[in-house]
Amino acid sequence: MPVITAPYAFNEGHLFVDLKSICGQPLHLKCEGFNFAGSIKLKAANEMVESAERDGLLTPESILVESSSGNLGVALSMIAASKGYQFLCVTDSRCNLSTRLLMEALGSEVHVIADQDSNGGFLGTRIEYVRQLCASDERYVWLSQYTNAGNWRAHYRTTAPEIAQQFPDLDVVFIGAGTTGTLMGCARWFRQWHRPVRIVAVDSVGSVAFGGEPGRRMIPGLGMSMRPPLLDESVVDEVIRVEEADTIRMCHRMARRGFLFGGSTGTVVSGATDWLARNDARGLSAVAIAPDMGERYLDTVYQTNWLQDLYGDHVLSAEGLGTVTEEVETATRTSEQRRRP
């Protein structure tokens, strides 16, 4: 058993869940929520802070500031508390209440943006607020997860090799797209691997990360209201977009089997399940990445009144959600029908 003195020194990166009995497809889920920050964002936060320290950008008087929809803010709050830095997280009204309370419990200040940008999101307004802060006081240090190469380098060094170690015959990996740090780090690593791996990016409907029309997005985590500066589409084989109603149904389907995951995970697993059902998945080795767990979504994705107000009374109806057995049988029948001559 490891003994640690800093909370960021522990991060379980080798836990995978076999989802075949839940989604009816050969899919393993890499769980990234088992650390003291509770999400995959600990990796990027560590990399960016350590890089800023090496470059001499951080001093004892520095105030870290970052725009975040939640998980990176928690990770930076934890690291700042451990290292003795002040931290201000600029977020927006979609950030889960429990996430905001976590950051404040760790000693951080949280500023919530209420005004939307021209794309109907909050990101542009959040970034502009951060820029104004930095211009007004030189003590503020903005790590800028959207442009910081440490965001993708963290996953090039850790996440992708962890998957390859467990699945040496990997065929396809499904990765959610937000800032695209995880996506870019894993895609670049697997492009240099000894065997071809299909890189499938999973985005939310309403996100403009890969183009398309902006739309309402209420679940934080995936999706962007601007093109991610880190994105290099040349290393991505395919993009699939998932409706938030399908995200919610997948989250609840997994919860009914005892696995409580966050909204981003529901999006990625829903997209991966659909992709595998539409393609010949026989003998495929497939992995999806789960960025966090579900406790921070209890007042949103798992709260009936919130769901009904935003998505209607039938988002979790028997017809829409289905039973696990029905979903598996349907997916199996569809796959068999496609293989018939």
Side-chain angles (χ1 to χ4, degrees):
M1 179 179 295
V3 177
I4 63 173
T5 57
Y8 49 86
F10 172 77
N11 194 354
E12 173 55 63
H14 298 280
L15 179 64
F16 295 80
V17 176
D18 186 342
L19 292 180
K20 187 168 186 180
S21 65
I22 297 176
C23 65
Q25 299 295 336
L27 181 65
H28 287 87
L29 187 64
K30 187 181 193 303
C31 301
E32 290 281 354
F34 293 101
N35 56 60
F36 283 98
S39 82
I40 196 171
K41 288 294 188 178
L42 177 60
K43 292 176 173 179
N46 255 334
E47 186 82 19
M48 293 190 295
V49 169
E50 289 179 358
S51 178
E53 289 175 332
R54 287 193 302 269
D55 294 342
L57 298 177
L58 288 174
T59 69
E61 291 75 34
S62 296
I63 304 173
L64 281 168
V65 60
E66 187 57 80
S67 160
S68 170
S69 61
N71 281 337
L72 181 70
V74 173
L76 287 173
S77 294
M78 186 193 76
I79 292 172
S82 177
K83 290 177 174 281
Y85 296 118
Q86 295 182 65
F87 173 57
L88 167 63
C89 181
V90 180
T91 188
D92 59 65
S93 55
R94 294 178 306 174
C95 180
N96 297 323
L97 174 61
S98 58
T99 301
R100 299 203 301 267
L101 294 176
L102 269 172
M103 289 188 278
E104 290 172 348
L106 289 164
S108 298
E109 183 182 349
V110 180
H111 181 82
V112 179
I113 295 292
D115 297 328
Q116 293 182 327
D117 56 30
S118 59
N119 283 327
F122 296 93
L123 182 55
T125 312
R126 281 172 16 199
I127 290 176
E128 181 58 29
Y129 183 85
V130 172
R131 285 178 174 150
Q132 291 176 4
L133 273 180
C134 293
S136 68
D137 191 333
E138 62 182 12
R139 291 177 302 165
Y140 284 105
V141 176
W142 181 23
L143 297 175
S144 185
Q145 63 166 322
Y146 311 106
T147 59
N148 195 319
N151 190 347
W152 68 263
R153 280 201 308 263
H155 304 287
Y156 185 93
R157 292 195 308 102
T158 62
T159 309
E162 288 164 358
I163 295 172
Q165 180 182 350
Q166 188 71 29
F167 297 91
D169 298 322
L170 183 68
D171 295 300
V172 57
V173 61
F174 300 92
I175 307 169
T179 65
T180 68
T182 306
L183 176 63
M184 289 296 98
C186 291
R188 287 179 174 133
W189 194 92
F190 280 115
R191 281 290 179 265
Q192 301 172 358
W193 204 30
H194 68 91
R195 58 179 281 118
V197 174
R198 189 164 187 82
I199 307 296
V200 180
V202 184
D203 199 9
S204 300
V205 169
S207 165
V208 301
F210 295 89
E213 292 297 318
R216 184 188 75 166
R217 293 180 294 111
M218 299 304 298
I219 301 173
L222 298 187
M224 292 273 279
S225 56
M226 68 177 190
R227 180 181 172 84
L230 294 176
L231 176 61
D232 176 4
E233 291 190 59
S234 70
V235 295
V236 177
D237 294 301
E238 190 172 347
V239 179
I240 50 180
R241 294 174 173 83
V242 176
E243 296 276 0
E244 285 193 334
D246 293 325
T247 292
I248 290 161
R249 284 189 279 267
M250 182 56 73
C251 284
H252 282 259
R253 190 198 304 184
M254 290 188 289
R256 289 183 179 186
R257 296 296 295 270
F259 292 105
L260 194 73
F261 285 107
S264 298
T265 301
T267 302
V268 174
V269 174
S270 178
T273 300
D274 180 66
W275 189 95
L276 292 166
R278 289 185 285 105
N279 292 271
D280 188 351
R282 288 177 297 179
L284 274 185
S285 176
V287 169
I289 298 176
D292 61 7
M293 306 304 289
E295 293 91 340
R296 295 174 190 174
Y297 301 81
L298 293 177
D299 57 347
T300 54
V301 171
Y302 296 101
Q303 215 284 329
T304 301
N305 291 338
W306 187 87
L307 293 176
Q308 291 177 340
D309 288 345
L310 291 174
Y311 303 98
D313 295 337
H314 302 295
V315 66
L316 294 180
S317 66
E319 180 182 357
L321 183 61
T323 65
V324 173
T325 302
E326 288 170 349
E327 296 284 354
V328 172
E329 288 178 348
T330 300
T332 301
R333 283 197 302 270
T334 302
S335 180
E336 289 175 348
Q337 289 169 355
R338 279 198 306 271
R339 291 197 293 264
R340 289 173 187 163

